[in-house]
Amino acid sequence: MGALPKQRVTRSRQGDRRQHHKLIPRHIVRCPNCREYKETHHVCLSCGFYAGRQVLDIEVARPVAPSS
Ligand SMILES: [Zn+2]
C-alpha cells in the first residue's frame, strides 16, 4: 500500500501551501519608439526596437501569408 496522509489537510492549510501559486501580472510599458504596449526588458514586437535601436526586422502585413 502506498503512503497515506495521517491527517486531513483543511482548505485553509491547503490554501496556505498554495499561496505562491498565484499569477503575477506582466510589467507593461509603452514602447518609446512606437508608443505600443510592450513588456519591460523585451524587444518591442510592434516595431522591433530595443534599447533605442532596431534589433528585429518587422515584416509589414502581407495580403497572403506563404505557408512555409
Ligand atoms: Zn515599438
Side-chain angles (χ1 to χ4, degrees), residues 34-52:
C34 68
R35 311 306 298 163
E36 188 61 76
Y37 290 107
K38 73 173 193 73
E39 278 193 60
T40 54
H41 304 99
H42 284 236
V43 174
C44 175
L45 296 176
S46 175
C47 67
F49 262 65
Y50 186 75

